[in-house]
Amino acid sequence: MTHLFLITGQSLATGRAPAMTVDPVAQEQALCFGGGPVGGQGQPLTARLGPLRETGTETIASGFAAQLLQTSSDPLILAGQGWAGQPYAVLRKGGPSHVFEQLIAQAQTAKTHVPDAQFGAILVLHGETDGAQGTADYDRILTQWHQDFASALADIFDTAEPMPMLICQTSSISGYCSGDRRHFRTPQMQFQAALTHPQLVLVGPKYQYDYIDWAHIDAASTRRHGALFAKAYRRLAQEGKDWHPLQPRRLTQMDSTVLIDFDVPVEPLCFDTEHVCDPGQYGFSLHDPHSHIIAVEPAGPSRIRLVLDRPAARSARVSYALYNGTPGLSGRLDGARGCLRDSDTERCALDGWPLFNWSVAFDLPINWDHHDRDRSG
């Protein structure tokens, strides 16, 4: 059974770094349309299917396909359309870019060429421009985006099966913000949307990568990021299980400590300062005028302890990988980042790089759990 995957978003979806996967990933099993795998800035793809390879810039398509084909023999079609620097308002259904309509047309063409094709997932790399613009309802936007895709694709593939939309967290807040970062809400909104809507699947953050500028990861990192998308999709589709990234599920204050319990894909938690340079306190910050973090330490395979110099106020908040890093820079050495990961042993099919799951960025009250939506924003 052939499965179609659609990639969309802004420049991280179309790719920015020069392509390095110029040979086919799998001659017969992974396909894309001519000019692809992902078209950009309104440039249409041809209707001819051929072996999947990157042309011009590296996208996540090759890394995704190579990783998924390690555990599946089903053929894949990777297609996509995006537009650099554009917010949701431009990319949405009926938007002036016509990106949405081009994606649906690609899906229809794939179904025409391969009548038995089934739909796999929508893979979205987006949020930087809406973050910079201060879009406050990005969680609602993601829900609407998914609903529009699911409705259109259900008609093409004649199915009522759930259609997951896999998203990744914007991790270039320090690259975009030289001052107050609180208006840059997309990382938190992506996290919140995935907690609330089962078909919105958060793959993970991107601060663990090497960046070529303030916003764009390099080609090797792009391939590894595609492999992370594949790992999450495999968990959903092949293993029939829920996927949750490494993410907080509860914060609890006890005197002069804050305990943070995490959903951990593969225990135990680890502080890794080899792959990500420590920005201080492993990326954790306490937002309280009268108390400060004096130590961050493990408290079990899925729990972290923040030791404070005095009890924090009830209004205090804890953040991770948002309000540190050098303005104008992003990535594992200089950007807004953290050092918390799990112990997953899976490696990237294309280069053997470890595919750890790194904690999502967050900003949450010190007494919070993931069922308490009203207090999490």
Side-chain angles (χ1 to χ4, degrees):
M1 183 73 69
T2 301
H3 291 85
L4 170 68
F5 298 89
L6 293 178
I7 301 170
T8 194
Q10 43 192 115
S11 54
L12 285 166
T14 60
R16 178 57 63 91
M20 63 186 300
T21 316
V22 294
D23 295 323
V25 171
Q27 193 71 33
E28 301 295 333
Q29 289 182 286
L31 306 174
C32 72
F33 291 117
V38 181
Q41 286 61 259
Q43 182 67 36
L45 305 181
T46 73
R48 182 177 180 273
L49 285 171
L52 170 62
R53 57 163 63 88
E54 303 295 333
T55 56
T57 57
E58 189 81 18
T59 75
I60 65 166
S62 293
F64 179 89
Q67 202 71 24
L68 202 56
L69 289 172
Q70 282 193 319
T71 54
S72 172
S73 59
D74 290 346
L76 311 175
I77 300 173
L78 275 294
Q81 199 75 29
W83 202 303
Q86 297 303 320
Y88 165 78
V90 174
L91 305 182
R92 65 177 175 82
K93 178 182 179 181
S97 69
H98 306 295
V99 162
F100 180 91
E101 288 73 21
Q102 286 180 301
L103 286 160
I104 300 306
Q106 289 176 15
Q108 183 64 69
T109 301
K111 185 67 171 175
T112 299
H113 282 296
V114 187
D116 72 339
Q118 298 297 312
F119 192 75
I122 308 136
L123 313 178
V124 176
L125 296 90
H126 190 259
E128 288 80 12
T129 299
D130 278 289
Q133 293 180 350
T135 303
D137 61 343
Y138 193 77
D139 52 346
R140 180 198 62 78
I141 281 171
L142 288 172
T143 303
Q144 184 63 55
W145 212 354
H146 173 263
Q147 289 175 353
D148 290 338
F149 273 122
S151 177
L153 293 167
D155 290 340
I156 294 172
F157 293 91
D158 190 25
T159 180
E161 290 294 314
M163 293 186 178
M165 189 163 95
L166 277 60
I167 62 176
C168 54
Q169 193 178 44
T170 304
S171 295
S172 50
I173 184 171
S174 57
Y176 280 86
C177 298
S178 59
D180 187 357
R181 301 182 188 178
R182 289 174 295 178
H183 80 283
F184 196 105
R185 295 176 58 82
T186 51
Q188 185 77 349
M189 293 295 95
Q190 289 158 336
F191 170 47
Q192 297 296 345
L195 288 179
T196 306
H197 302 285
Q199 293 306 309
L200 293 177
V201 181
L202 181 57
V203 172
K206 298 187 288 291
Y207 58 76
Q208 68 272 26
Y209 297 129
D210 289 308
Y211 280 64
I212 60 176
D213 56 26
W214 77 100
H216 304 100
I217 58 179
D218 68 9
S221 298
T222 300
R223 301 202 306 185
R224 296 161 190 165
H225 198 47
L228 282 179
F229 270 87
K231 186 170 68 169
Y233 176 77
R234 184 179 64 226
R235 175 88 171 182
L236 293 169
Q238 295 181 2
E239 300 177 16
K241 301 175 182 178
D242 290 336
W243 167 262
H244 300 290
L246 177 51
Q247 63 184 15
R249 58 184 173 85
R250 183 181 301 110
L251 282 72
T252 308
Q253 183 178 20
M254 300 177 63
D255 297 323
S256 295
T257 65
V258 176
L259 298 175
I260 309 177
D261 294 291
F262 287 84
D263 292 320
V264 185
V266 181
E267 295 180 347
L269 291 170
C270 299
F271 292 124
D272 184 338
T273 58
E274 176 184 356
H275 290 94
V276 176
C277 179
D278 186 3
Q281 306 293 10
Y282 300 117
F284 289 90
S285 299
L286 178 70
H287 304 275
D288 181 87
H290 304 297
S291 57
H292 304 86
I293 298 174
I294 58 175
V296 179
E297 55 193 30
S302 62
R303 174 180 281 185
I304 296 299
R305 179 187 296 112
L306 309 182
V307 181
L308 313 181
D309 58 356
R310 68 189 68 186
R314 291 176 57 86
S315 60
R317 302 179 71 88
V318 172
S319 69
Y320 171 83
L322 286 174
Y323 306 123
N324 55 39
T326 304
L329 298 175
S330 298
R332 65 188 186 92
L333 300 179
D334 303 291
R337 62 200 189 276
C339 303
L340 186 64
R341 64 163 175 83
D342 76 347
S343 297
D344 199 335
T345 59
E346 186 168 350
R347 291 181 175 269
C348 177
L350 291 178
D351 65 7
W353 189 263
L355 295 178
F356 302 125
N357 299 295
W358 295 84
S359 176
V360 301
F362 60 86
D363 178 353
L364 296 168
I366 58 171
N367 289 290
W368 173 88
D369 69 52
H370 74 279
H371 297 294
D372 192 357
R373 281 282 294 165
D374 291 338
R375 298 186 63 241
S376 60

